[in-house]
C-alpha cells in the first residue's frame, strides 16, 4: 500500500524514464545542431555530418518499420482527411510557385528565395544550430513514429 | 515598390495564410486539420512516410551542405 497522494513506484519509474529520455533527446539535438552549425556549406565535414545524420535516421526508420509491422495491423491506420489535404496542398503549391518565380526572377537580392532568406538567417551560428536541431527533431519524429 | 519588397511581401502573405489556417484548424468547430496532424496522417502510410523522409533528407542536404 502507498500513502494517499504518493505515486506508486511504477509510475515514478516511468516519470524518471521519461525525464531521462527527454534530457537525452535534448542533449542529442543540441549537440548535433551545434556540430552542424560549426560546419560550412560545400565542405566535406558538412557532407559527412549531414549525410551521417540522414543515414542514422533512415536506419531508425527502417528498424521502426519492421517492429511496427510485427506489432500493428496496417488496416487500422488513421484516415487521411481529404479536404485538409486539398487545402494544405494548395498552400504548398502557392509556396512552390512563388519560390519558382523568385528563382527565375533575376537577381537574387531583388528576388529572394526561401533558401536565400534561410541562408541569411543561418549566418548567425545560433540560428543555424536551432535550424539543424529542428530539422533533426522532424526527421526523428518521422522515423520513430 | 521595389521587386525585393514585393517578393518579401509575397512570403509574408503566404506565412500569414499558413498561420491563419493552422489557427483555424485548432478551433473546436473546425473541419480542417492542422499541418502537423495531416503530416502525421500521411506518415501513417508507408509510401507517405518514405516520401516525407526523402523530402526531409533533401531539405537537410540543401540547407546544410549545398
Amino acid at each position: 500500500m502507498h500513502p494517499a497522494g504518493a505515486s506508486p513506484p511504477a509510475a515514478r519509474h516511468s516519470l524518471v524514464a521519461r525525464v531521462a529520455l527527454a534530457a537525452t533527446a535534448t542533449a542529442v539535438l543540441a549537440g548535433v545542431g551545434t556540430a552542424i552549425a560549426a560546419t560550412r556549406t560545400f565542405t566535406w565535414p558538412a557532407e559527412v555530418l549531414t549525410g551521417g545524420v540522414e543515414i542514422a535516421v533512415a536506419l531508425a526508420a527502417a528498424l521502426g518499420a519492421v517492429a511496427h509491422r510485427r506489432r500493428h495491423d496496417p488496416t487500422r491506420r488513421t484516415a487521411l482527411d481529404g479536404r485538409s489535404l486539398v487545402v494544405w496542398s494548395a498552400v504548398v503549391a502557392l509556396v512552390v510557385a512563388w519560390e519558382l518565380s523568385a528563382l527565375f526572377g533575376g537577381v537574387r537580392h531583388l528576388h529572394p528565395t526561401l533558401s536565400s532568406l534561410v541562408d541569411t538567417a543561418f549566418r548567425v551560428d545560433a540560428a543555424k544550430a536551432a535550424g539543424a536541431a529542428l530539422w533533426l527533431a522532424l526527421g526523428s519524429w518521422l522515423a520513430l513514429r | 515598390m521595389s521587386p525585393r519588397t514585393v517578393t518579401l511581401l509575397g512570403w509574408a502573405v503566404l506565412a500569414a495564410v499558413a498561420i491563419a489556417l493552422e489557427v483555424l484548424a485548432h478551433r473546436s468547430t473546425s473541419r480542417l486539420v492542422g499541418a502537423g496532424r495531416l503530416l502525421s496522417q500521411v506518415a501513417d502510410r508507408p509510401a507517405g512516410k518514405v516520401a516525407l523522409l526523402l523530402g526531409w533528407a533533401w531539405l537537410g542536404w540543401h540547407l546544410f551542405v549545398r
Side-chain angles (χ1 to χ4, degrees), chain A residues 32-114:
Chain A
V32 172
T34 306
I36 288 180
T39 67
R40 291 291 161 252
T41 49
F42 299 100
T43 61
W44 69 264
E47 286 179 4
V48 169
L49 195 54
T50 307
V53 167
E54 291 183 351
I55 290 169
V57 168
L59 281 175
L63 291 173
V66 171
H68 190 268
R69 195 179 300 172
R70 283 188 189 147
R71 279 184 280 120
H72 295 277
D73 175 3
T75 60
R76 291 184 62 190
R77 58 193 170 204
T78 51
L80 197 56
D81 188 277
R83 179 200 308 265
S84 302
L85 187 64
V86 169
V87 170
W88 282 108
S89 296
V91 173
V92 171
L94 284 173
V95 168
V96 170
W98 198 245
E99 175 80 356
L100 289 176
S101 88
L103 189 64
F104 298 112
V107 185
R108 182 65 60 244
H109 172 72
L110 293 177
H111 303 274
T113 58
L114 264 188

Side-chain angles (χ1 to χ4, degrees), chain B residues 43-56:
Chain B
D44 251 2
R45 285 136 181 87
K49 189 169 183 171
V50 169
L52 288 175
L53 275 170
L54 285 174
W56 169 83

Side-chain angles (χ1 to χ4, degrees), chain A residues 94-144:
Chain A
L94 284 173
V95 168
V96 170
W98 198 245
E99 175 80 356
L100 289 176
S101 88
L103 189 64
F104 298 112
V107 185
R108 182 65 60 244
H109 172 72
L110 293 177
H111 303 274
T113 58
L114 264 188
S115 309
S116 64
L117 292 173
V118 171
D119 275 348
T120 306
F122 279 4
R123 285 189 198 141
V124 178
D125 281 350
K128 189 173 178 182
L134 197 65
W135 171 72
L136 177 58
L138 179 65
S140 306
W141 173 78
L142 269 174
L144 301 176

